[in-house]
Amino acid sequence: MTSLTAPGRRTVLKGAAGLALTTAFAPALRAQGEPIRIGLILPMTGPFTSTGRQISAAVNLYVQQNGASVAGRPVQVILRDDTGVADVTRRIAQELIVNERVTALAGFGLTPLALATAPLATQARMPMVVMAAATSVIVDRSPFVVRTSQVIAQIAAPFATWMAQQGTKRVISIVSDYGPGHDVETSFTAAFREAGGTIDNIRVPLQNPDFSPFLQRVADAKPEALLVFVPSGVGAQFMKQFVERGMDKSGIRLIGTGDVVDDDILNGMGDAALGVITAHHYSAAHPSPANRAFVEAFRKANNNMRPNFMAVGGYDGMHALYEGLKKTSGQGGEALVNAMKGMAWESPRGPMSIDPQTRDVVQNVYIRKVERVDGELYNVEFHTIPNVRDPSKR
């Protein structure tokens, strides 16, 4: 691709001053008819490849279905692999802003990656659509962040209340030791204790976790239920060790946020996953016409791959960008962020909107159970908690 950097600016500048100075030339260069460039930053290699693969496939599908132009201008999605490393994410974001003159950034597979980029979004006045990362604080780090994925606390807190209402009194949690895991632990614990339950918490390393010693602690403690949060794609490793230790026959109920029985890997878990109860905002089995059409199109375009919650975050992120760009006639910056605030639409996940005050997602939370349907394992929804916001921002 031909570089759009201004004369004398052929290297990536360091620091806020250089970034702000360089991007100041951007409006003059974005003439009518010039492509609208969206910088998509995802972990396409490394331990979180599943996230990148799902989101990039959904972004491609949205563009195929809705056309590669908006507001009378062609759209170019520039995909970059950050390997799941925050320093790499920040460097790529800066290159996309300065060298590629993107109109918006999108993607961000993990919280540390989004947090590393947020200051650049503020400095460059660059819309930043978070399609995956789920820690509550992300939207507070820049007024240019808009989220279309989930806030993990909006899943965990109502799930804790629901579990207590079902009569569960004692839980142990195991969470990955990083932002979303901390949010699951904090929000579930607060809501569960408020409802009269007792809970003990365990954290495991994010990178290359060995769950075995922690599972042994759970087995020795014999709680009624074990709550688990791990990043997308790690659930298969957890389930393997859960079964190897005989925990599936221990009488301890396995519950969690939807990440642990992610649609992308659920079939590979086998019968041990049957009956697992989770809360989440999306299931490939969601019974709506919009979702059935989405799943069918996604599988057809991607060698029968089943979409997961990461895919729907990417698909809806593109919807927010396209509709916002229509409102602004292709203009980015603060105008595009403002255009996305308050949007509401029927997503494959169900009704969703962008809170105009917080720029965060508002959506239904579904209680689901793993069941076998037509020979495959699915998260079958049986209870809906409607229009849930981030509980920390009420």
Side-chain angles (χ1 to χ4, degrees):
M1 182 179 294
T2 304
S3 173
L4 296 180
T5 50
R9 298 287 179 179
R10 299 202 177 274
T11 58
V12 178
L13 300 180
K14 306 295 184 183
L19 184 60
L21 177 61
T22 308
T23 55
F25 291 100
L29 294 173
R30 292 176 183 147
Q32 185 70 20
E34 184 180 343
I36 294 171
R37 297 181 177 87
I38 298 170
L40 184 63
I41 310 175
L42 293 169
M44 301 304 296
T45 56
F48 305 106
T49 302
S50 168
T51 294
R53 182 179 71 248
Q54 285 275 343
I55 294 176
S56 62
V59 167
N60 287 338
L61 177 62
Y62 190 90
V63 173
Q64 290 168 14
Q65 292 179 329
N66 293 275
S69 65
V70 66
R73 293 166 58 187
V75 173
Q76 293 180 354
V77 177
I78 305 172
L79 175 62
R80 294 287 185 267
D81 176 16
D82 63 9
T83 71
V85 177
D87 287 345
V88 179
T89 311
R90 179 181 172 86
R91 174 179 57 77
I92 290 172
Q94 192 160 340
E95 290 172 353
L96 288 168
I97 294 168
V98 174
N99 296 347
E100 300 291 354
R101 306 288 188 186
V102 295
T103 300
L105 296 172
F108 310 104
L110 291 165
T111 288
L113 316 182
L115 293 178
T117 308
L120 295 180
T122 302
Q123 293 160 13
R125 305 181 67 80
M126 176 63 57
M128 175 179 162
V129 176
V130 174
M131 297 174 165
T135 304
S136 178
V137 73
I138 292 171
V139 293
D140 300 330
R141 295 298 174 88
S142 172
F144 289 86
V145 171
V146 175
R147 177 155 40 197
T148 61
S149 51
Q150 61 168 323
V151 188
I152 197 65
Q154 81 185 154
I155 310 297
F159 186 37
T161 302
W162 184 86
M163 286 298 302
Q165 290 170 347
Q166 309 315 300
T168 305
K169 300 295 185 185
R170 186 163 175 256
V171 173
I172 291 178
S173 73
I174 290 180
V175 304
S176 295
D177 190 7
Y178 77 123
H182 302 167
D183 278 4
V184 169
E185 180 184 282
T186 301
S187 57
F188 188 97
T189 296
F192 193 63
R193 286 176 176 165
E194 184 178 350
T198 61
I199 182 168
D200 295 310
N201 305 119
I202 299 171
R203 295 181 180 182
V204 300
L206 174 62
Q207 300 288 346
N208 303 313
D210 178 6
F211 298 102
S212 298
F214 306 105
L215 287 171
Q216 187 59 53
R217 287 170 57 185
V218 175
D220 293 342
K222 295 181 172 60
E224 293 173 70
L226 169 61
L227 171 77
V228 178
F229 166 80
V230 292
S232 176
V234 181
Q237 180 180 348
F238 172 84
M239 189 64 73
K240 179 175 182 291
Q241 295 184 24
F242 185 81
V243 172
E244 286 174 350
R245 289 211 159 259
M247 298 285 288
D248 56 324
K249 298 177 177 63
S250 67
I252 299 170
R253 296 176 63 192
L254 180 59
I255 63 174
T257 56
D259 317 72
V260 73
V261 284
D262 175 1
D263 275 299
D264 193 25
I265 57 176
L266 179 57
N267 266 323
M269 294 181 181
D271 288 351
L274 286 168
V276 173
I277 301 290
T278 58
H280 222 211
H281 61 287
Y282 178 71
S283 167
H286 179 66
S288 73
N291 187 55
R292 284 192 287 270
F294 170 66
V295 172
E296 181 181 358
F298 189 94
R299 297 190 85 147
K300 183 177 180 181
N302 294 284
N303 196 29
N304 207 36
M305 181 168 66
R306 184 193 296 183
N308 71 356
F309 67 102
M310 292 295 182
V312 82
Y315 193 81
D316 285 329
M318 288 302 292
H319 179 82
L321 282 166
Y322 263 52
E323 294 303 309
L325 287 163
K326 290 176 185 176
K327 291 181 180 181
T328 67
S329 299
Q331 183 180 349
E334 188 175 357
L336 179 54
V337 173
N338 288 337
M340 289 188 281
K341 291 179 182 177
M343 276 188 185
W345 66 95
E346 183 68 21
S347 159
R349 74 186 82 183
M352 70 166 287
S353 61
I354 304 298
D355 189 307
Q357 278 73 49
T358 66
R359 293 162 282 108
D360 225 334
V361 60
V362 180
Q363 59 192 335
N364 292 349
V365 173
Y366 305 98
I367 311 298
R368 312 99 52 82
K369 183 179 181 180
V370 177
E371 298 179 5
R372 192 172 295 280
V373 180
D374 296 330
E376 296 188 37
L377 298 181
Y378 282 95
N379 294 294
V380 178
E381 301 164 356
F382 62 88
H383 180 69
T384 302
I385 305 168
N387 300 320
V388 182
R389 287 175 164 78
D390 179 355
S392 71
K393 295 184 172 67
R394 288 176 179 170

